[in-house]
Amino acid sequence: MESTCGRGHVLRQRMVANLPELWELPPPKTDVGMTVDDVLRARNAAEHRRLVLDWATRLWAVWVSHRMTIRTWIKRALPD
């Protein structure tokens, strides 16, 4: 699977061009046990990467009830 990190601006342009109707999703009430502040405390690039992935994984897990909605928005915004 190709990384999208270097293509962020292209993906943003495609999403804006095909922006689906969005609505506010109620945030989960579950605390993921860490915040961006924890990531900012990384002592080096490897630790930063590990903390970002850990934070993102935890955050995605608590948004489980909205995953289908989010995936639908992405598919509409980024058609093949």
Side-chain angles (χ1 to χ4, degrees):
M1 182 174 181
E2 182 182 352
S3 170
T4 58
C5 293
R7 299 182 310 130
H9 67 285
V10 174
L11 293 174
R12 260 190 312 282
Q13 288 173 345
R14 284 180 57 203
M15 287 181 75
V16 170
N18 298 298
L19 195 61
E21 180 182 343
L22 306 176
W23 56 90
E24 186 174 347
L25 300 173
K29 295 183 183 353
T30 306
D31 180 5
V32 298
M34 63 187 303
T35 67
V36 174
D37 193 46
D38 296 304
V39 174
L40 293 174
R41 295 180 187 164
R43 294 179 300 258
N44 55 52
E47 183 179 18
H48 181 267
R49 177 180 167 76
R50 182 185 60 75
L51 289 170
V52 166
L53 290 173
D54 186 24
W55 175 68
T57 300
R58 292 176 185 213
L59 197 59
W60 184 241
V62 300
W63 281 83
V64 67
S65 64
H66 297 304
R67 284 185 188 170
M68 195 53 112
T69 300
I70 295 167
R71 285 187 174 121
T72 299
W73 288 347
I74 292 169
K75 285 180 182 179
R76 289 180 184 163
L78 297 172
D80 293 329

